[in-house]
Amino acid sequence: MSVLVTGLAACGGGSGGPTTVNWFVNPDSSGATDIVAAACTQQSGGQYRLAISPLPSTADGQREQLIRRLAAKDTAIDLMSVDPPYTAELANAGWLYTFTDAERTQLLDGVLASPTKSAIWKGQLVAAPYFANTQLLWYRKSVAAKAGVDPNSPNFTWDQMIDAAIKTGTTVAEQGKRYEGYMVWVNALVLSAGGSIIQNNDAGRDAKPSLDSDAGRRAAEIIHKLATSKAADPALSNDDEEASRAVFESSTGGFLLNWPYTYAAIQGNIKDGSVPAAVLPDVGWARYPRVDANVPSQPPLGGINLAVSKFSTHRDAAFQAVKCLTSPAVEKQNMLLSGNPVSNGSVYDDPEIQQKFPMASLMRDSINEAGSRPVTPYYGDVSSAIQRIWHPESSLNPNSAPAASSKLIGDVLHDKRLL
């Protein structure tokens, strides 16, 4: 692998050895993080050494640790992996380094549109898109054929999918547990229906809650329709990514909304004997379903952004590390090792990537056209308010929940109510 790194003189280098850049990163069981960190260290030519400090395993835990350290102006943290929904919160607090126009041009070369938007706050690039994820529709080919539907049809809808599962006695597996995964589902439906959860996000506390809309009610209708139908897993209100995947792999599996790791995970389960080998050839994939047949869906956007701490004493070296980690060559290596989709669109055209990920082109297009969760420094409050009102799915009232959640969001943002 060849990685080109042009260097600025790093603080602490020279005769004292390479600068240590402390990277606080989400846990990685694949070993890819260690490998790409070592590669960038080597390619720096002695300018810096990337040292890895694992963050907690959950997104909430990662956010909490980063906030505590940054609020204390901890100079031990140079580079950090940040979930896109929390990037604005850290930037708004003044804790992230803002990249210059020249640095922005370098970091965004070839990066897909939606990940780019997730890294910008008030017009400034405050992080570099690194991983970029999206949900796909996974389906059993035999079930779709039996139901007489084509999930790859450009106007395939949620209603068609639910009806197909009911007709064939199978399930639509989703993440319905009261956690961030459920917020991903709600947000994707609202955006795909042409609405939004909040507007004027840059206004911070004065952003306008906008769920009380036709789009909000349509999203709630779909969730309630699935939850109260025979197509729902009985444990829907407790299902996360892994539980919903297990439902899809079972004898009642029909359709599943989940991240691209699903394909490799099914292969792994077949290898260990927990899933019949016949399942994999029956698995198809398609773009996230539409809410309205005439309006393209906005698939969920996930991923990781790389941000440099404003309090770092090694910002030049940290920037060089970010440049290396987000280069197409390193992103390709990372994707092959970890299975995580990446932010640079050129990687998806690589023959090795297309061989390992036969759905690579769909992943790239879905990421490019994905809809992000609300970019706001108060994202945690917004998400918690929706989860409170919209859960459990079977009790969701499509007529009143959107208005109730919009009011709760507004009250929480203005300190009128506590979550």
Side-chain angles (χ1 to χ4, degrees):
M1 179 189 71
S2 174
V3 181
L4 298 178
V5 181
T6 55
L8 299 174
C11 302
S15 60
T19 297
T20 297
V21 175
N22 292 312
W23 180 15
F24 283 67
V25 61
N26 46 308
D28 167 36
S29 60
S30 71
T33 298
D34 291 326
I35 292 173
V36 299
C40 285
T41 295
Q42 181 180 14
Q43 291 297 323
S44 76
Q47 286 192 34
Y48 63 81
R49 179 181 69 86
L50 267 172
I52 295 170
S53 296
L55 289 165
S57 59
T58 66
D60 289 344
Q62 293 163 19
R63 169 183 172 270
E64 182 179 353
Q65 183 171 138
L66 291 175
I67 285 177
R68 285 181 175 180
R69 286 181 172 273
L70 293 170
K73 300 182 179 180
D74 186 355
T75 58
I77 181 169
D78 299 308
L79 178 62
M80 68 199 93
S81 297
V82 184
D83 246 9
Y86 302 125
T87 302
E89 179 181 13
L90 303 185
N92 193 65
W95 296 334
L96 302 185
Y97 169 69
T98 299
F99 294 108
T100 67
D101 289 343
E103 292 168 343
R104 174 175 177 154
T105 298
Q106 295 176 63
L107 294 176
L108 294 183
D109 185 26
V111 175
L112 296 169
S114 289
T116 295
K117 294 176 185 176
S118 78
I120 293 174
W121 176 242
K122 293 189 174 181
Q124 301 294 314
L125 186 70
V126 295
Y130 182 43
F131 292 146
N133 217 341
T134 189
Q135 286 197 353
L136 303 180
L137 165 58
W138 305 91
Y139 64 94
R140 295 289 194 96
K141 298 174 185 176
S142 57
V143 170
K146 185 178 180 180
V149 297
D150 178 11
N152 278 291
S153 168
N155 58 359
F156 188 67
T157 67
W158 273 87
D159 283 328
Q160 287 178 295
M161 178 174 62
I162 295 170
D163 292 344
I166 294 172
K167 181 179 179 180
T168 56
T170 58
T171 53
V172 174
E174 250 290 6
Q175 294 83 59
K177 182 179 178 181
R178 185 172 167 178
Y179 79 127
E180 186 57 28
Y182 183 38
M183 174 63 175
V184 168
W185 183 15
V186 173
N187 184 67
L189 289 178
V190 172
L191 293 179
S192 295
S196 63
I197 288 175
I198 59 173
Q199 296 176 347
N200 303 320
N201 300 23
D202 285 1
R205 291 187 183 276
D206 293 324
K208 180 183 178 182
S210 51
L211 259 178
D212 186 11
S213 64
D214 289 342
R217 285 181 283 276
R218 185 72 184 100
E221 286 173 3
I222 290 173
I223 293 173
H224 186 259
K225 174 180 177 176
L226 173 60
T228 55
S229 76
K230 293 181 179 179
D233 176 41
L236 173 64
S237 63
N238 290 306
D239 283 348
D240 58 12
E241 284 86 354
E242 282 297 274
S244 59
R245 183 171 68 82
V247 173
F248 178 69
E249 292 174 347
S250 72
S251 59
T252 63
F255 304 88
L256 166 69
L257 288 307
N258 213 333
W259 308 97
Y261 88 96
T262 296
Y263 192 66
I266 293 174
Q267 291 174 306
N269 288 152
I270 290 173
K271 187 175 181 179
D272 67 26
S274 60
V275 171
V279 169
L280 190 64
D282 194 34
V283 173
W285 48 84
R287 179 166 165 151
Y288 202 80
R290 296 186 175 198
V291 169
D292 182 329
N294 298 316
V295 180
S297 63
Q298 291 195 44
L301 178 69
I304 291 292
N305 292 331
L306 295 180
V308 175
S309 169
K310 189 176 181 179
F311 311 112
S312 168
T313 57
H314 308 131
R315 274 186 270 170
D316 288 346
F319 169 68
Q320 295 302 329
V322 171
K323 227 176 31 160
C324 177
L325 291 167
T326 58
S327 65
V330 173
E331 288 208 344
K332 171 191 169 181
Q333 184 182 35
N334 209 332
M335 187 169 173
L336 289 172
L337 291 168
S338 70
N340 290 316
V342 294
S343 63
N344 196 296
S346 66
V347 175
Y348 295 87
D349 294 324
D350 187 277
E352 288 184 76
I353 292 294
Q354 293 194 344
Q355 181 178 5
K356 184 169 182 177
F357 303 94
M359 67 296 296
S361 296
L362 173 63
M363 289 161 58
R364 178 192 56 210
D365 294 345
S366 292
I367 291 169
N368 193 50
E369 299 173 26
S372 66
R373 281 160 279 176
V375 179
T376 167
Y378 304 101
Y379 177 77
D381 291 334
V382 172
S383 178
S384 296
I386 290 172
Q387 292 175 47
R388 174 180 291 188
I389 300 295
W390 289 55
H391 195 271
E393 295 82 358
S394 59
S395 300
L396 179 63
N397 187 324
N399 294 317
S400 61
S405 49
S406 269
K407 185 176 189 311
L408 180 57
I409 291 170
D411 287 347
V412 170
L413 291 181
H414 290 93
D415 298 323
K416 295 179 181 179
R417 294 173 69 180
L418 296 175
L419 290 171

